[in-house]
Amino acid sequence: MRKKIVFYNPAAPYYTLPLQFLALASVLDPDRYDVRIVDARIETSVEAAHEKVKELLENAVCVGVSIITGTPIKDAIEVTRLVKSYSPSLPVVWGGWHPSIYPDQCITEGMADYCVSGQGEITFLELLDAIENNAGFDQILGLTYMKKNECVTNGERKFVDINQFPSYDFGLLPLETYFRLKGSRQIDFYSSQGCPYRCAFCADPNVYNRRWSGLKGARMLNDVIDVVRKYDVEDVVFQDENFFANRERVMQFSRSVREQGMRFSWTATSRADQIAPLPDDLLAELAQANLRKVMIGAESGSQEMLDFMKKDTLTEETIISAQNLARHNIGASFNFIVGFPEETFENTLKTLQTIKEIKKIRGSFDFNIFFFTPYPGTELFEYIVRKGYKVPVTLMEWSDIDFVLYAGYWVSAAEKEYVDRFKFYTKLATEHNPRRFWAKPLKLLAKARTENDFFHIPIEKELINLIRYKLLHEVNW
Ligand code: B12
Ligand code: SF4
């Protein structure tokens, strides 16, 4: 009889497909294991998600929980407690970005029995074998566990080329439910793992040691086409750390998509120094292959800050990227980070200026501004610890951080407010929603404000905040 593997994705307000479980399931023998995925994000409540887990515990080999740093940790702890209270001897395995960096903490404070660091496929497979056969765990690389009351971490696992792993089975997920929640027949896809760059604010260089591997052109195309056809998918979002890391691979994919007459649109992650040097024929090729949007980690409009965070890009490249994409009618979303300790307000203003320039190039280009968060396992985390700044220490402290709204305590309230108002008015000024014709006067006012950098007395912002919380939510400021 097949044994159950129960995977749990902690609660969060997003509907991205839990690709990590499809990756782990891809290496498991389906004749031997019955993989069940409970995603608290698509359940009616966290309680309902926990109830589902409870019902699945019988005949399970283990429960696997995936965790990124921040609020998902809280639910991970709760579900682990729940499993322990109903099936005390059933192993609970934690994996993902937070356990990769702090495996000991996740075991000693989070009650996990095992933690898997980094790429999880082979480690998890070997762990299952060891659990089922009552074998030892010392040889399983990438694993942390309790041995005779001591938390031990085995050696690091070598990064495996992802072409060696089988294709994902998207049938393991209730895709129609995700489509309904996402509002379109959109899937997320993972075509490469890791990243060769060294950005000091990012955990990737630590978790994957700057290694990168991507599905080869033909395999990638087949896998994507397979899922697109099978589930009538209209849009594919490549959630790779760095989709454009290998230009030849991307161009091969684009050419094949066009040649095969595929109609789905797609979105992918990139860097300014990957898009800026693209010649017009390649940009045209991408546009013809229905590249809908590129998500660019632009990070800053100040060269000083880009150098500080080791982004290894130039501010001009951000602008050239925007011009390139606009010329070929490809959408874009630019991510920025401000509020580093010791970042001057002048540098923050340079970032806001860059956003204004991007918006002038194409009003519909989107942007996000995040306040710097000292992610664990990053070079800048070590830096700010050395500088004496206070950072989260315990697992519970890490779980208290809401990254989306977080601003370090070193950012003054006035600076935070200025950036928030800039974000609000710039988005409102360039928002295009024909249904909201009544918002036109507000838009005009916002335009005047952004053009003159005048964000005092934000009555409209307060009003919208107060009266139309829903509207605010829709516009996604
Ligand atoms: C999609 C995505 C999102 C989605 C949802 C993420 C999610 N899973 O919940 C959205 C858009 C909502 C999002 C939001 C954010 N995200 Co995000 N996101 C991603 C992204 C691009 C893809 C995730 C993915 O599907 N990967 C594909 C799978 C196959 O890879 P994987 O998750 O790493 O899984 C492998 C291993 O980690 C391991 N594994 C994972 N889980 C498990 C579980 C078990 C049991 C085992 C054994 C192994 C295992 O095995 C897998 C196969 O090898 C990643 C970057 C990336 N490419 O991974 C960033 C990433 C996870 N996000 C990150 C961040 C920082 C954020 C934000 C804070 C951004 C922001 N400033 O707002 C927010 C807030 C999240 C929150 N706290 O709630 C960081 C996490 C850093 C950290 N320390 O946790 C990442 C790594 C980006 C980065 N390079 O910095 N994100
Ligand atoms: S921020 Fe992006 S480019 Fe930089 S190391 Fe992380 S994944 Fe790579």
Side-chain angles (χ1 to χ4, degrees):
M1 185 166 134
R2 293 200 305 161
K3 297 262 179 74
K4 251 181 279 171
I5 307 289
V6 183
F7 286 128
Y8 185 77
N9 205 22
Y14 314 113
Y15 306 123
T16 326
L17 302 184
L19 298 174
Q20 63 276 38
F21 301 137
L22 301 190
L24 296 170
S26 75
V27 296
L28 303 180
D29 178 358
D31 292 333
R32 192 165 157 201
Y33 296 114
D34 173 13
V35 172
R36 304 294 185 94
I37 298 170
V38 179
D39 186 350
R41 293 157 196 204
I42 62 164
E43 296 300 328
T44 47
S45 65
V46 180
E47 292 72 30
H50 289 191
E51 198 53 41
K52 263 197 170 167
V53 171
K54 230 165 75 187
E55 284 163 14
L56 289 170
L57 294 180
E58 203 183 319
N59 191 32
V61 182
C62 74
V63 175
V65 187
S66 181
I67 301 135
I68 59 177
T69 307
T71 46
I73 293 173
K74 281 195 178 38
D75 187 26
I77 294 174
E78 273 180 32
V79 83
T80 304
R81 283 207 184 110
L82 175 113
V83 174
K84 293 285 160 201
S85 66
Y86 283 90
S87 303
S89 59
L90 188 66
V92 179
V93 188
W94 283 19
W97 290 78
H98 197 80
S100 291
I101 297 156
Y102 289 132
D104 321 32
Q105 189 180 68
C106 292
I107 285 180
T108 51
E109 296 175 43
M111 295 170 61
D113 297 297
Y114 304 97
C115 271
V116 169
S117 290
Q119 203 177 35
E121 287 86 339
I122 305 296
T123 311
F124 187 62
L125 187 65
E126 290 180 7
L127 175 62
L128 284 182
D129 264 341
I131 292 172
E132 285 210 89
N133 300 319
N134 256 331
F137 301 97
D138 341 18
Q139 301 302 315
I140 306 177
L141 300 174
L143 189 73
T144 299
Y145 63 108
M146 290 299 279
K147 187 179 178 183
K148 294 185 188 147
N149 289 330
E150 206 192 316
C151 191
V152 288
T153 297
N154 297 337
E156 196 187 322
R157 178 166 296 276
K158 221 169 141 244
F159 186 68
V160 177
D161 175 356
I162 62 168
N163 288 284
Q164 291 183 28
F165 300 138
S167 307
Y168 291 1
D169 176 3
F170 282 84
L172 290 172
L173 297 172
L175 283 186
E176 293 301 330
T177 306
Y178 285 97
F179 293 157
R180 184 170 47 77
L181 293 167
K182 279 169 174 267
S184 71
R185 301 189 75 78
Q186 179 193 74
I187 58 148
D188 300 284
F189 199 91
Y190 194 55
S191 81
S192 67
Q193 192 161 34
C195 176
Y197 292 89
R198 57 167 192 156
C199 309
F201 58 86
C202 176
D204 220 284
N206 179 345
V207 171
Y208 291 117
N209 283 324
R210 298 181 68 183
R211 281 163 304 195
W212 178 89
S213 103
L215 292 181
K216 299 225 162 66
R219 156 82 188 271
M220 180 175 157
L221 184 76
N222 288 342
D223 283 7
V224 174
I225 287 186
D226 192 46
V227 60
V228 163
R229 290 210 171 121
K230 208 161 172 181
Y231 301 100
D232 206 6
V233 169
E234 292 162 355
D235 189 58
V236 178
V237 179
F238 288 98
Q239 295 285 7
D240 307 27
E241 285 94 313
N242 187 344
F243 181 82
F244 277 83
N246 180 327
R247 190 199 282 186
E248 188 38 48
R249 185 184 83 110
V250 177
M251 295 321 303
Q252 200 184 331
F253 173 73
S254 299
R255 257 191 311 276
S256 312
V257 166
R258 179 177 53 76
E259 281 163 10
Q260 300 228 3
M262 298 302 296
R263 292 184 165 269
F264 67 88
S265 54
W266 49 289
T267 296
T269 47
S270 189
R271 295 165 46 99
D273 59 346
Q274 290 168 334
I275 300 299
L278 282 181
D280 273 319
D281 58 331
L282 296 192
L283 286 160
E285 180 76 62
L286 292 167
Q288 282 164 21
N290 299 325
L291 172 56
R292 177 172 67 85
K293 184 162 85 174
V294 183
M295 296 179 282
I296 297 185
E299 325 303 3
S300 182
S302 147
Q303 194 59 51
E304 191 191 347
M305 293 315 295
L306 285 177
D307 296 344
F308 169 75
M309 60 179 100
K310 299 191 175 165
K311 188 73 200 177
D312 297 335
T313 57
L314 303 171
T315 50
E316 301 86 271
E317 287 170 325
T318 299
I319 301 300
I320 299 171
S321 300
Q323 290 164 338
N324 280 354
L325 295 171
R327 218 171 36 255
H328 290 271
N329 213 11
I330 299 171
S333 174
F334 293 83
N335 280 344
F336 292 91
I337 311 174
V338 297
F340 289 90
E342 293 150 47
E343 174 171 3
T344 61
F345 192 51
E346 283 66 39
N347 277 330
T348 300
L349 288 178
K350 283 184 184 170
T351 293
L352 305 189
Q353 190 52 41
T354 300
I355 293 172
K356 283 173 77 171
E357 281 180 52
I358 289 172
K359 282 287 190 185
K360 265 190 215 139
I361 294 168
R362 202 177 190 200
S364 63
F365 280 164
D366 199 9
F367 70 93
N368 282 308
I369 309 175
F370 298 108
F371 285 92
F372 167 70
T373 307
Y375 292 111
T378 66
E379 197 179 320
L380 279 181
F381 177 78
E382 305 299 329
Y383 170 86
I384 75 162
V385 169
R386 274 199 312 278
K387 287 272 181 173
Y389 288 98
K390 203 174 153 294
V391 291
V393 178
T394 64
L395 192 63
M396 283 321 279
E397 281 170 2
W398 280 116
S399 78
D400 278 337
I401 290 184
D402 179 342
F403 282 125
V404 181
L405 302 174
Y406 180 91
Y409 66 89
W410 47 84
V411 178
S412 74
E415 284 185 26
K416 181 168 186 312
E417 187 58 32
Y418 188 91
V419 172
D420 283 345
R421 289 181 192 177
F422 171 89
K423 222 160 111 174
F424 177 90
Y425 286 112
T426 309
K427 291 206 174 208
L428 180 57
T430 51
E431 191 230 344
H432 178 67
N433 187 342
R435 279 185 306 144
R436 248 193 309 269
F437 57 91
W438 50 265
K440 218 168 169 193
L442 290 179
K443 257 184 86 168
L444 287 175
L445 205 59
K447 213 166 162 210
R449 276 184 177 275
T450 46
E451 272 165 15
N452 297 294
D453 294 326
F454 181 80
F455 305 121
H456 293 296
I457 326 172
I459 312 172
E460 320 89 284
K461 183 170 183 268
E462 299 304 322
L463 257 176
I464 290 179
N465 265 338
L466 267 171
I467 306 168
R468 298 297 301 266
Y469 172 78
K470 192 178 169 295
L471 162 76
L472 209 96
H473 204 69
E474 267 177 39
V475 179
N476 197 19
W477 316 110

